[in-house]
Amino acid sequence: MVQLLNKYKAFFIGVLLMFPIFYVLDYFEFILIPKNNPLEIIMYAVFFGILAVLPIYNYSYFKTKKRIILNVLALMALFFMALFIDSFMKMPDNPVTFILLMVFWFGFAYLLIPVFIKKYWKLIVFIYGPLFLYFLYLRLFSGNLETYLEIKEDFPFFIFFLPIPMLFLIWVFEQWKWVQNLKAEKSKAELSLLRSQINPHFFFNTLNNLYALTVKQSEKAPEVILKLSDMMRYTIYEGDKEMVTLEDEIKYVNNYIELHKIRYKKSVDIAFNHDVDTSLTIAPLLYIILLENAFKHGIETLTENAFIHINLKEETDFIIFSIENNFDPNEISSSNGIGLQNLKRRLSLLYKNKHELQVDVLNNLYKTTLKIAKHA
């Protein structure tokens, strides 16, 4: 609390100084202080005290914002002009003073939230225009002053402030929508970055194997070229889409498995079973990270009896992808699992609370299960 007071003591001093300034101005009849309404005096003191101290408190900032300072000074001059005219003419609810004060308050609002005022100026005019015209009619054309004061009893002045909460709520909604759009754009940019982080080593290794096959003039070379071409097309074009069908994702996984089989001289047991509605859609390139891990940390660490068993199925509400592989416990990678972290981050951005990723390790078996809600 003490630190807060020290930090903003200039504002507290400015507010306190406003009280004697008001009473001096009232004494010389430059302004009229409502003696029976202390709350109104306090509100004015707080507002003008903060306004007066701001240039001092943020001197270095305002030094670079000369235009803003000039606008504020112009508004302050307008306000004191309104007070001077009001005290000089000594006319209750002086229309001239009223117009000047309206210009002051709308000018002040424009300085604070210019984008909002520019966007909704028609709505503001629609609300306040009729009220202002009605006030002028009552004040100038309804009869003499006594008649106006009688009508005023049934038309309280605070009605001019009633639209302010509605405009404030619209402004709050605008800020909320702006924040949500900002979050969405940030998430979209982050997703794009995460998609670009799919492991490129597989493509380099496959190209090396393809080179070896072409040197040997192997019959497998055209097949490898075709599968690699399909995978690269899918990664570049389909991978940039919001959603893809399971049919396309299954084909991509099968191509990946077939290309890996060509690489290995040893015998490996790779089985991919799928029993799903292939027209269902999911975000692209989710399963490939789990499959990459199974090859990298499983098959490549074993010299014999290596296996990867993959199952893709659906339940009432979920699409379930599970992959199980064995590995050599003595060949545990020191890698920090960038791919898996990538996947978890993508899932949190895409599916939030509509997914479940479970990893189980038992002896030399590694099993990962990914459940994604249908139509999420």
Side-chain angles (χ1 to χ4, degrees):
M1 185 65 181
V2 175
Q3 291 179 345
L4 182 68
L5 291 174
N6 287 332
K7 185 176 181 180
Y8 296 106
K9 63 182 179 181
F11 291 104
F12 294 112
I13 294 171
V15 170
L16 292 175
L17 287 175
M18 281 297 121
F19 289 101
I21 292 173
F22 282 166
Y23 282 103
V24 169
L25 292 174
D26 179 66
Y27 177 79
F28 289 103
E29 297 185 347
F30 284 108
I31 62 173
L32 296 174
I33 293 179
K35 303 295 191 301
N36 57 346
N37 197 342
L39 181 61
E40 187 175 346
I41 300 173
I42 294 172
M43 290 175 61
Y44 281 127
V46 170
F47 174 76
F48 286 105
I50 292 174
L51 201 63
V53 172
L54 270 176
I56 302 170
Y57 189 78
N58 292 305
Y59 175 74
S60 59
Y61 172 78
F62 284 113
K63 193 176 180 180
T64 61
K65 304 290 182 180
K66 294 181 180 179
R67 185 175 179 180
I68 295 177
I69 295 173
L70 291 175
N71 289 334
V72 171
L73 291 175
L75 286 175
M76 294 299 296
L78 182 68
F79 179 80
F80 285 109
M81 183 189 300
L83 294 181
F84 176 78
I85 291 173
D86 192 60
S87 61
F88 180 77
M89 298 181 69
K90 297 183 179 180
M91 181 187 299
D93 293 347
N94 187 341
V96 177
T97 305
F98 191 82
I99 293 171
L100 291 175
L101 287 177
M102 282 192 67
V103 173
F104 167 77
W105 286 113
F106 282 118
F108 184 71
Y110 182 79
L111 282 180
L112 291 178
I113 44 174
V115 176
F116 179 84
I117 299 298
K118 287 179 181 178
K119 185 174 182 180
Y120 291 103
W121 70 268
K122 292 180 181 179
L123 175 64
I124 295 169
V125 171
F126 177 77
I127 293 173
Y128 280 100
L131 286 173
F132 177 65
L133 292 175
Y134 187 55
F135 163 76
L136 290 180
Y137 168 76
L138 291 178
R139 184 66 185 86
L140 301 176
F141 305 107
S142 62
N144 55 28
L145 181 60
E146 288 75 16
T147 305
Y148 164 74
L149 293 175
E150 289 178 6
I151 296 174
K152 183 182 175 183
E153 294 296 326
D154 300 322
F155 185 78
F157 185 76
F158 67 79
I159 196 169
F160 283 93
F161 295 95
L162 291 181
I164 292 177
M166 183 186 72
L167 293 172
F168 177 74
L169 289 175
I170 294 174
W171 178 79
V172 169
F173 175 74
E174 285 285 318
Q175 299 308 301
W176 175 83
K177 190 167 67 171
W178 175 74
V179 170
Q180 296 305 310
N181 288 337
L182 190 65
K183 288 181 179 179
E185 288 298 321
K186 181 177 180 294
S187 297
K188 189 175 180 180
E190 190 170 354
L191 272 174
S192 179
L193 176 63
L194 290 171
R195 284 170 181 161
S196 70
Q197 291 174 352
I198 300 299
N199 191 349
H201 297 297
F202 164 75
F203 290 108
F204 295 139
N205 290 335
T206 305
L207 286 172
N208 287 332
N209 291 329
L210 177 59
Y211 172 75
L213 291 172
T214 54
V215 169
K216 295 178 182 179
Q217 297 184 350
S218 170
E219 295 179 356
K220 293 182 178 180
E223 180 186 356
V224 171
I225 292 172
L226 182 61
K227 291 185 182 298
L228 183 61
S229 173
D230 284 343
M231 289 195 68
M232 293 184 71
R233 177 195 59 78
Y234 186 86
T235 302
I236 294 170
Y237 296 107
E238 304 301 312
D240 200 43
K241 293 181 178 179
E242 294 285 335
M243 306 294 282
V244 295
T245 63
L246 279 177
E247 181 180 6
D248 290 335
E249 194 75 3
I250 289 169
K251 184 179 178 181
Y252 182 74
V253 169
N254 274 325
N255 281 339
Y256 185 89
I257 292 170
E258 292 302 319
L259 287 175
H260 259 295
K261 283 181 178 179
I262 296 171
R263 287 183 56 204
Y264 296 117
K265 307 296 183 184
K266 58 191 176 185
S267 175
V268 293
D269 175 19
I270 304 176
F272 181 21
N273 301 311
H274 44 86
D275 182 18
V276 291
D277 177 2
T278 54
S279 66
L280 291 172
T281 58
I282 61 165
L285 303 174
L286 294 178
Y287 299 149
I288 196 65
I289 295 176
L290 298 178
L291 188 54
E292 278 184 348
N293 281 345
F295 275 103
K296 182 178 180 182
H297 304 296
I299 287 179
E300 292 185 6
T301 66
L302 295 168
T303 56
E304 58 183 11
N305 299 324
F307 71 84
I308 296 178
H309 294 162
I310 311 161
N311 286 285
L312 179 61
K313 62 181 181 178
E314 63 175 299
E315 292 182 349
T316 306
D317 300 314
F318 290 92
I319 301 168
I320 302 173
F321 179 85
S322 63
I323 181 166
E324 183 177 15
N325 64 275
N326 57 347
F327 66 95
D328 185 352
N330 298 320
E331 296 290 338
I332 297 176
S333 173
S334 59
S335 171
N336 57 2
I338 297 295
L340 199 57
Q341 291 177 18
N342 180 317
L343 177 62
K344 289 177 179 178
R345 181 58 182 157
R346 284 188 66 201
L347 288 169
S348 68
L349 290 171
L350 292 165
Y351 294 102
K352 295 183 180 178
N353 298 323
K354 297 180 180 180
H355 78 279
E356 180 183 335
L357 180 63
Q358 182 177 345
V359 178
D360 297 307
V361 182
L362 180 62
N363 298 325
N364 68 330
L365 293 178
Y366 192 95
K367 183 176 181 180
T368 309
T369 304
L370 174 58
K371 296 174 66 175
I372 297 174
K374 288 182 179 178
H375 315 296

